[in-house]
Each structure stands twice: as structure tokens, then as C-alpha cells.
Amino acid sequence: SSSALKENSGTPQSATTGTPQSMTTRTPPAVNTDTATKKRKRTDEVSSALKILYPRKTGGFFYMETWGNTSECLTSKSYQLYASDLLQHLKIISKSKLEHAARTLKTLINNKIFDSVRDSITGIRSRDHLKESQLDKQIVDNIRRCLAHHNVGGGSREKNVQSSIDAVLAAACFTDNTIFSDNALGNRLGTNAKSIKKARLAAAEIIRTGKQLKPVPRKIRKDCIQPAARRYIIEFCRSDEYSRIDNSAVKPIKVVCPYTKEEEEVQRRVWLVAGACYNFDLFLKSSMYETFKSENPGSTIGLTIFRTHLCPSVKEKSVK
């Protein structure tokens, strides 16, 4: 009995195997392997697809844990081929969803493994985008300065200048889909909303019809016609066909010559027909007016201009 007590007082033994309990293998707690299994399964599926698509490139590289840096310089054609392969891969994993593929690329670029080379990936695009922005701003600023340079205060621009400005504004509005108002575009280009609205209508007409841009016909201002009209009106007044020399006049009269712009003495005359309105009708049928229209296409002379430039040497009443 004493020997049995000595045996039982030793190290506790297992009831089934007889081995010491301290030597018994304990089973670790159960681990949830669903997530790891899913990831491994997805990796295997993608790997199989890639091996089918690119059997010569996959090899053992797909399961490499680390990324290596290389100084190897590749041609742009090589990168285009790589991009084509990556595009096929993206098409598989995104199920041909373009937005999903784009978001996948964005997430990939933002991954920390690309921290050391991210500048080389995005830097070129950033620099090009900055240059484009600066170029666009310079073009708009140049248009603003050009419009400001040709902004004639209190008057109208010359026909050729206005036609050029109309073409520039039409080019700036050359779209049939815009989200900006006339005021917004006018403020950006340094002009008014009325000019932008006119340019938009011209651009829309060109887009609709497919025709080329043509200068808009402009009515010539009266103050631009008058210098050219004065010479023909005075010739009409001094013509023997419409007036005659006044023999009762003692002294000649001093008038400004329409050619030399200097004073000259001329004989006084009287109209053969009474009334400025009747003489104006005769003027419209005269050879002087026909010559004026041939030398100034599109221009006309009205009664106001006719009466303003009548020669003072002719009396406004006829001989009885």
C-alpha cells in the first residue's frame, strides 16, 4: 500500500493513455478560416484566368510577396502592351463595369506600396494639367486684353475690327450645350451679355446649318456717310441742270471747297425748282447720286444729310 501511495503521489497521468498530463497535446481553439479561404479562392480564380490569358507572363510571379525596384528603361510601346494586359485583367474583375474598373485603378494607385513611385505615376499628368490650365488662362486673358484694346468709348468700331471680334466671340460660344449664362461668359471674356447672346446665336446657326461664319452686314452710320456725300451734293447744287447763276448778285460768296477743304469764291446761284424736297427727289435721280452709290456700295443719302450739305451759294427759291 505504501508503494501504491508513492506511485499515486507522483506526476498526474492520463486516464486513457497512461502518459503524464503535462505531456498531453492540447488542441488549439478553433480559428475562423472562412475569410482566408475566400481570399485564397479568389486569388486562385484570378490566377487561373491570367494563366489562360497570358501563359508566358504569369509563371511564379503571381504569388510573390514583395515588389522589386528596377532601373530598367522600357519603351512606350512596352508600357502600352502592359496597359493592354492590365485592361484585360480589369475587365475580368470588374465584370466589364467601366466605373468599377476606374475606381479599382484609383484605389490601387493610392495603395501604400506605391508611395515611393507615386510621383513618377501622377507627376507627369499633374505637370501637363498645370501647363494646360496656364495656357487656357493665358488665352482667355489675351482675348480680354484684345477686346479692351478695341473698346471704343462713345463710338462704334470699324467694320473689319467688329467682324474679327464677332468671330472670336462666336468661337468662344461654339457649342450647342453650355451651362454658363450670358453674363458669366461676358464677365470672363470682358464683354457684355448682349454681345455673348449675339455670338451664341451666330454659333448655333453655324452648327445647325454647317455653313461658314460670315460678317454680319452693318448699316453705315450717318456721320460716316456725310463726308463722302457732301461732295456729290455740292456738285448737284452747282450743276446747270438743276440751278443757274444769279445775275442779280453783286458779290460772289466764299464757301469751303469739298475737295481741298479750303475757302473759295463762287458765284451765287438759284434753284430751277422751288423747295428742298423737290430738289432732293431730283438728286435721287441724278448722275451724282448714281456715282455716289457705285463708289459707296450699300450707302444711301437721306433728306436730312441732303439739306445739311446744300451749298450756301444756291438760294432756296426759284426764279419766277
Side-chain angles (χ1 to χ4, degrees):
S1 61
S2 60
S3 61
L5 288 173
K6 289 180 180 180
E7 291 177 1
N8 294 333
S9 61
T11 304
Q13 296 180 354
S14 172
T16 57
T17 62
T19 58
Q21 291 183 3
S22 59
M23 300 295 292
T24 304
T25 303
R26 295 182 180 181
T27 303
V31 179
N32 185 8
T33 59
D34 291 344
T35 303
T37 303
K38 289 180 180 179
K39 287 184 178 179
R40 186 67 180 179
K41 182 179 179 182
R42 181 175 180 83
T43 301
D44 292 340
E45 290 176 353
V46 176
S47 177
S48 300
L50 289 176
K51 286 180 180 179
I52 295 173
L53 289 173
Y54 319 111
R56 292 181 299 173
K57 296 184 179 180
T58 53
F61 291 100
F62 193 80
Y63 294 102
M64 290 184 66
E65 300 266 343
T66 59
W67 291 76
N69 292 325
T70 178
S71 59
E72 181 183 2
C73 182
L74 299 178
T75 62
S76 59
K77 186 176 181 180
S78 298
Y79 286 117
Q80 289 176 0
L81 294 174
Y82 292 166
S84 178
D85 295 343
L86 180 59
L87 185 62
Q88 297 296 331
H89 185 194
L90 283 173
K91 193 171 184 180
I92 294 172
I93 63 177
S94 65
K95 298 180 180 179
S96 299
K97 303 293 184 182
L98 187 59
E99 184 177 355
H100 294 173
R103 290 182 180 272
T104 302
L105 278 177
K106 182 179 179 182
T107 305
L108 178 64
I109 294 298
N110 291 331
N111 193 297
K112 63 181 181 180
I113 64 176
F114 290 105
D115 288 346
S116 60
V117 294
R118 184 173 290 110
D119 290 340
S120 64
I121 299 173
T122 61
I124 297 176
R125 175 59 186 165
S126 299
R127 290 192 296 269
D128 292 343
H129 182 69
L130 179 61
K131 290 180 180 179
E132 277 188 17
S133 300
Q134 292 175 345
L135 180 61
D136 293 345
K137 184 177 183 301
Q138 183 177 0
I139 292 174
V140 174
D141 291 342
N142 290 341
I143 292 176
R144 290 176 61 90
R145 281 192 288 269
C146 180
L147 294 180
H149 177 75
H150 294 92
N151 187 17
V152 181
S156 61
R157 303 183 182 96
E158 294 183 2
K159 183 178 180 180
N160 294 336
V161 175
Q162 185 62 47
S163 298
S164 300
I165 292 177
D166 290 342
V168 171
L169 294 180
C173 301
F174 203 78
T175 177
D176 53 1
N177 184 18
T178 181
I179 60 175
F180 300 105
S181 64
D182 295 344
N183 287 326
L185 283 176
N187 292 335
R188 186 67 185 94
L189 296 176
T191 186
N192 53 66
K194 184 178 179 181
S195 298
I196 295 297
K197 183 177 181 180
K198 177 182 175 183
R200 275 182 166 169
L201 292 175
E205 182 67 16
I206 295 172
I207 294 173
R208 185 182 64 84
T209 61
K211 297 180 179 180
Q212 299 292 323
L213 179 65
K214 294 182 179 180
V216 178
R218 300 176 62 197
K219 293 183 178 180
I220 301 177
R221 292 169 54 100
K222 291 182 179 180
D223 53 0
C224 296
I225 297 174
Q226 290 185 22
R230 184 170 182 269
R231 175 165 60 94
Y232 300 97
I233 296 174
I234 291 180
E235 286 182 3
F236 172 80
C237 295
R238 298 180 184 178
S239 172
D240 292 336
E241 187 177 356
Y242 306 103
S243 66
R244 69 175 185 84
I245 297 176
D246 185 3
N247 295 323
S248 62
V250 179
K251 295 182 179 179
I253 185 174
K254 291 184 179 181
V255 296
V256 177
C257 178
Y259 302 99
T260 62
K261 309 299 180 182
E262 297 178 356
E263 284 191 348
E264 61 178 355
E265 291 185 350
V266 296
Q267 293 290 331
R268 294 183 179 272
R269 306 179 68 89
V270 292
W271 291 111
L272 299 179
V273 178
C277 293
Y278 295 106
N279 284 295
F280 176 68
D281 293 337
L282 293 174
F283 173 73
L284 296 180
K285 301 175 183 178
S286 65
S287 59
M288 295 79 171
Y289 187 61
E290 292 297 328
T291 305
F292 167 80
K293 289 193 298 181
S294 64
E295 295 181 359
N296 301 272
S299 301
T300 58
I301 297 176
L303 178 60
T304 302
I305 297 177
F306 177 77
R307 299 186 67 169
T308 301
H309 295 286
L310 287 175
C311 182
S313 65
V314 185
K315 295 182 179 180
E316 293 190 359
K317 67 177 182 178
S318 62
V319 178
K320 293 183 182 180

